[in-house]
Amino acid sequence: MRSIIKDGQVVTDSWAVLRPDENGKLPEVAPERDVIVPFSAWKAEPSAWQNRAGQVAVWLAPDDEPGELAGHLTSFPLLAVDFPAFTDGRGYSIGRLLRERYHYRGELRALGDVWQDLVHYLWQVGFNSFEIKEGKALEDALKGFGTFSERYHSTWREPEPLFRRRNTNHKSVA
Amino acid sequence: MYRYDEVDYRIVRERVEQFRDQTRRFLAGELSEDEFRPLRLMNGLYIQRHAPMFRIAIPYGHLASRQLRRLAHIARTYDKGYGHFTTRQNMQFNWPALERVPDILSELADVEMHSIQTSGNCVRNTTTDAFAGVAADELIDPRPYCEIIRQWSTLHPEFAFLPRKFKIAVSGSVDDRAATLVHDVGLHVVRAADGEIGFKVIVGGGLGRTPIVGEVIREFLPTRHILTYLDAILRVYNRYGRRDNKFKARIKILVKALTPQGFAAKVEDEWLHLKDGAATLRDEDVAHYASFFGAPAYETLSPNPEAFTAKLAEDRAFARWVEQNTRTHRQPGYRSVVLSLKKTGVPPGDITAEQMEAVADWSERFGFGEVRVAHEQNVILPDIKESDLYEVWQLARSQGFATPNIGLLTDIICCPGGDFCSLANARSIPVAEAIQRKFDDLDYLHDLGEIDCNFSGCMNACGHHHIGNIGILGVDKNGEEWYQITLGGSQGNHTAIGKVIGPSFAQADVPLAFEKIMNLYVEQRQDGERFIETVRRIGLEPFKERVYAKHH
Ligand code: SF4
């Protein structure tokens, strides 16, 4: 059990993230354990994973195609996206696509190089749980959510962009 | 000009506090160098040759007089009393201390300024025509759209970590003065047959190592769709742009790899589900932003008043300055004045605190308190009455701004080069100065006519040398500074990438090569042909022969 951030709270979490070793092999885990497996591994044998006693979720690498999951989204209680380096921003687009284009409603978790200065953006594009990088304090990461109290854009959290809210709140509509 | 409301202020202030905290954590060892670097870059802070280099955004080149005064104050208090205007309408300071940058940001926030996304792999400052709103050939005023794009790009949560930097330019006039063909995205206004206004969308232009003219991926995009369409373009780039090699990471490489048609198809597919979404602009949204850019309270004047024409007739130097350094205005009796930052002996684009304050004063006294920064690194007073021009000229002379060389050979667009930039192969400033000295005879300079000369200290091409009619690139030859000359580049509607004329030159030989090129042009030009027209007509060969001919 370790702690993650979920919906703005520190909570303990029992999902095991399975990552392949250098030979591409996934670690062995007890069948009743809840696991988050690489999308490529799940694609290879979806029914084998689905028939385990524990729950199964998948994590997407930055170059995975979220559209391939479109028909299966309701079967996952959780999806995760990996950020191998925080400077690799592809996962933000994956988050928005899963939420906005494919209407995924379950838990969406950010894994990898995830910490205080990133959680705000991740939250905006639809992530709601965060496995904070080793060595970074969860308490610090929590502060990241409050960095900005407003934003300009249409996001999954707040589809109405600021310019529309401005025009209804502060000005009579022409 | 756009004015911040409470929310704009709050966002910028929160950004300052965020950066203050990031700097503190870095200095306390809580953030590693690798973690801090992208964060500080996103706030315009480089670590350079002498000290950090700090870049401040001047959105689409617009400055209010009080903002210019604040920049003067920052130059004096935190730097060495001067700043540098870049080719992207921003201002750079070369000597600030890292620990004091949060304080500079706080000073900027007071006057509605910031340094958000002035570097780093994110959407940079949106640029436009420096004469927006006053140009006679404008179809629409691009500034409301620039501000809309500025807000959209500011802290966009999906696009903070792109493969590489991303630059957008908007042109609202028929004649493209915003270089839309050499930006990652260029939006160039078009009017459809039914009168509807929209933008032509150009993608994948750019200079740098792989200079390339952009491709049109959509001939007509109704203005209301610009944000959803930009989201679609950026998403395709964010997901598929190369991240394995920083020299191949710009969108132009992706557009090439997918072909423009292939890229356009991906964008259109992505746009299908974004189109008509909440980010679509309603008429009242555009009207809200346009309301900030209404015409100032111009007086009703007749053009060419007696006081002006009399001075033109009696003072030849004044007449020359008017001809070269002022532009026609859409309001009768007014002109736009270009203050030259290309005086011989001063690094191109540099401006002292005292000069900034003088410009701020004049903009209030003679205009409406507004100043523009041109991507050619000059400063513009957009609204000056013709009857005031003589006085403005005298004042400009007193501050060293009146060199009558706008658009001429010595109006060199020049990056900071090896004197300041740690990436440089060669110094640019002393060489630019040597060229200016070679052509210091004003009659000869005017006779040569319009020539865009651009200078970059390395292949990153910050001085846009590829699109100079004559371009110079600093190269490194076994640790020595050498210079390559290109001819035939141009910007605007006929954007072209210049071609290298041959082996590079030692520093001392560059002015002589210029002289030979100009001599040949003067011999070869046909009735009133501009330099670029002669180059296009006769080609590079005759220039090569002349420049590389053996001495007898
Ligand atoms: S062109 Fe090269 S030398 Fe000049 S400013 Fe850019 S990076 Fe520096």
Side-chain angles (χ1 to χ4, degrees), chain B residues 56-72:
Chain B
I56 294 165
I58 302 178
Y60 36 95
H62 265 53
L63 275 174
S65 52
R66 69 201 167 94
Q67 294 175 319
L68 191 51
R69 284 207 182 86
R70 184 57 58 95
L71 291 175

Side-chain angles (χ1 to χ4, degrees), chain B residues 380-399:
Chain B
I380 292 161
L381 295 168
D383 308 291
I384 302 293
K385 283 189 253 179
E386 288 176 334
S387 53
D388 287 331
L389 280 175
Y390 194 74
E391 196 177 351
V392 170
W393 173 60
Q394 288 177 313
L395 289 167
R397 280 216 293 196
S398 73
Q399 287 287 347

Side-chain angles (χ1 to χ4, degrees), chain B residues 342-344 348 403-405 407-413 435-437 439-440 445 451 453:
Chain B
K342 309 298 174 65
K343 186 182 167 175
T344 302
T403 313
N405 64 347
L408 303 179
L409 180 59
T410 59
D411 182 8
I412 301 174
I413 296 172
I435 295 165
Q436 288 172 326
R437 292 205 187 283
F439 295 91
D440 65 349
L445 183 67
I451 302 175
C453 176

Side-chain angles (χ1 to χ4, degrees), chain B residues 25 71 82 96 107 223 228 268 283 344 355 404 407 425 533:
Chain B
R25 283 184 279 139
L71 291 175
Y82 68 95
E107 299 240 24
T223 51
T228 52
E268 295 283 327
D283 291 347
T344 302
Q355 286 179 312
N425 286 326
E533 290 162 342

Side-chain angles (χ1 to χ4, degrees), chain B residues 415-418 421 423-425 456-463:
Chain B
C415 80
C421 175
L423 302 172
N425 286 326
S456 306
C458 77
M459 61 217 274
N460 286 318
C462 302

Side-chain angles (χ1 to χ4, degrees), chain B residues 72-85:
Chain B
H73 163 73
I74 289 168
R76 263 199 202 101
T77 314
Y78 301 90
D79 208 285
K80 295 192 173 179
Y82 68 95
H84 173 80
F85 285 115

